[in-house]
Amino acid sequence: MTRHSVSPLSGAIPVATKTHVNLAGIGTALPPHSMPQSVVLDQARKLLAPHYPAFERLVPAFENAGVDTRFSVMPLDWFAQPHGWEDRGAAYLKGATQMFIDAARSALSDARMTADQVDVIVTVSSTGIATPTLEAQAFNEMGFRRDVQRVPVFGLGCAGGVSGLSIARRLAAAQPGATVLMVAVEACSLSFRSDRLQKADIIATVLFGDGAAAAVLKSGPVAGPVTLLNGHEHLWPDTLSIMGWDVDETGLGVIFDRSIPGFVLAEFRKAVTTMLAAAGIAEEAVDRFVCHPGGTKVVEAIEACMDLPAGSLDAERATLRASGNMSAPTALFVLDRVLKAGQTGILPLCALGPGFTASMMPVVVQA
């Protein structure tokens, strides 16, 4: 994470309490199997086209998705065979645990801290089920303390990285001096279904990949180079069918409605304005929005509705090209890019997820 000199928060930046929550470190991780988009398209054509007559009409979606490659916890040939809950669960448990460890170690290294200094762990994941949960699976290898507090969070989908960071921030603020580790882990690839030939399943194959991101939060009386303010959420009524999971005997089936870009164009700015007002931040005070890139059309819709110059969400597009939509961790991948590029000021971190929900965390970076 790019380091900046410490200076007092300016009067333009709202401070709700005397306890500041600082972002001490950030880290990301990808699983071992790289899947270039051209290779994914060839495999999808072999597996899906014989059973889905309209497949060729969807080929441009692969070519124009803005995704060059994705990464998976399993090799490509694994997806050529049918898999049920047991296979998918075993792959999730192994792959997600390793990504948790890799991302957590990266963030702790960035913070110059060790696992035994962590007081609270917030684990965010929606693409598999593990009980004991992932932080317990990683306990021995990580070296967490026996009295570490565990807060697993399920079901937030693409908003999980931002909402999870908000939960971690509130826990850190409630315990001055505490160190909170938030890890968002998703193995989206394991939801690939050759038995469910709906358009949403093919679009998910176009966009989604696996990854993990972690953040180390430290609370105390002094504001650091990167400070996190209270997060906020906006839930729209009667939108349950826009995004989520269908659950059946085989596994999880994606719900990913084609209306999402249009919904973003019509509704996102109003929600952002409401959340910024709740945070005490005027829209004109924002230096850069840092957004979850749900897909190229979603990124374009955000730029249009927020009156941003076309192409200005460059870190979002670069993240999408390099690793696809990884669901919850993706927003932190973007934040990492933005911080490393040296961006300063007020940076609302934003994402959309099942519910249908917008989540926002104001990040303040000192110059």
Side-chain angles (χ1 to χ4, degrees), residues 26-30 98-109 142 181 183-185 211-215:
I26 190 168
T28 61
L30 294 166
Q98 189 59 56
M99 287 193 292
F100 178 105
I101 292 167
D102 293 344
R105 283 178 171 168
S106 177
L108 287 165
S109 175
M142 285 296 304
L181 172 68
V183 187
V185 185

Side-chain angles (χ1 to χ4, degrees), residues 121-249:
I121 308 165
V122 178
T123 304
V124 177
S125 189
S126 299
T127 48
I129 299 171
T131 304
T133 45
L134 295 176
E135 72 287 340
Q137 302 288 337
F139 177 84
N140 286 337
E141 191 167 344
M142 285 296 304
F144 294 125
R145 296 198 317 268
R146 292 186 181 186
D147 65 345
V148 71
Q149 300 174 43
R150 298 164 50 208
V151 185
V153 181
F154 178 83
L156 296 175
C158 292
V162 181
S163 293
L165 201 60
S166 177
I167 293 167
R169 192 256 176 224
R170 291 178 185 274
L171 291 170
Q175 303 178 61
T179 297
V180 180
L181 172 68
M182 194 285 290
V183 187
V185 185
E186 302 291 9
C188 304
S189 67
L190 298 178
S191 65
F192 173 78
R193 302 278 295 268
S194 58
D195 63 313
R196 244 181 59 124
L197 295 179
Q198 299 178 19
K199 185 176 180 180
D201 297 293
I202 295 177
I203 296 302
T205 304
V206 169
L207 287 174
F208 286 94
D210 304 346
V216 178
L217 283 59
K218 185 73 178 177
S219 61
V222 178
V226 183
T227 305
L228 305 179
L229 305 184
N230 272 333
H232 298 270
E233 294 186 5
H234 183 94
L235 177 65
W236 286 276
D238 303 318
T239 55
L240 296 178
S241 62
I242 289 181
M243 184 184 293
W245 290 126
D246 283 328
V247 182
D248 60 25
E249 292 86 351

